[in-house]
Amino acid sequence: HVQLVESGGGSVQAGGSLLLSCAASGNTYSTNCMAWFRQVPGKEREGVAGIDRYGVTKYADFVKGRFTISQDPGEKILYLQMDSLKPEDTASYTCAAGFSMLVRWLLVANEYTSWGQGTQVTVS
């Protein structure tokens, strides 16, 4: 099992930036990918960005060109740099770790078995 703890959420004005971090611990060797998901109350959770152990990334269309996912394998930290934030980016952001066979599945929630508690991002 992998434990995940997010940090870096907060409130920002439209056009601003935030950096989310996710620290992983535990049996991280059982995973080969990590991702960020977000959810708004009353709506389904949606994949934002994912990355595999080789650094291959996948982004949702609604964040392409604005968000960047990266990882520090040595420190076991996942990042999400969010630029040009929009009010519609307001959500609870959660990091996840799992094992995926295909890059195109990096944003599929069922590929992930470990989830953090989430960090709130509010854009006004």
Side-chain angles (χ1 to χ4, degrees):
H1 187 65
V2 177
Q3 293 78 44
L4 303 169
V5 179
E6 302 97 338
S7 61
S11 297
V12 65
Q13 291 189 337
S17 299
L18 281 175
L19 174 65
L20 303 184
S21 301
C22 174
S25 61
N27 188 21
T28 58
Y29 296 104
S30 65
T31 64
N32 72 348
C33 61
M34 296 188 74
W36 289 96
F37 289 79
R38 70 185 189 185
Q39 189 168 21
V40 175
K43 294 188 177 181
E44 291 189 1
R45 179 171 53 196
E46 55 186 3
V48 176
I51 187 168
D52 71 9
R53 66 172 58 181
Y54 303 109
V56 178
T57 59
K58 183 173 178 64
Y59 294 92
D61 287 343
F62 52 79
V63 301
K64 283 182 179 178
R66 300 189 299 123
F67 291 10
T68 303
I69 189 171
S70 62
Q71 60 188 354
D72 182 336
E75 296 296 326
K76 298 182 181 180
I77 300 177
L78 180 72
Y79 299 100
L80 184 67
Q81 176 66 46
M82 303 188 295
D83 298 318
S84 302
L85 282 161
K86 304 174 181 180
E88 51 264 44
D89 293 319
T90 295
S92 177
Y93 285 72
T94 303
C95 70
F99 193 94
S100 182
M101 296 298 293
L102 296 173
V103 171
R104 66 172 181 260
W105 292 346
L106 283 178
L107 299 185
V108 176
N110 286 344
E111 297 293 289
Y112 297 89
T113 54
S114 298
W115 296 83
Q117 293 298 310
T119 184
Q120 179 67 33
V121 171
T122 302
V123 185
S124 59

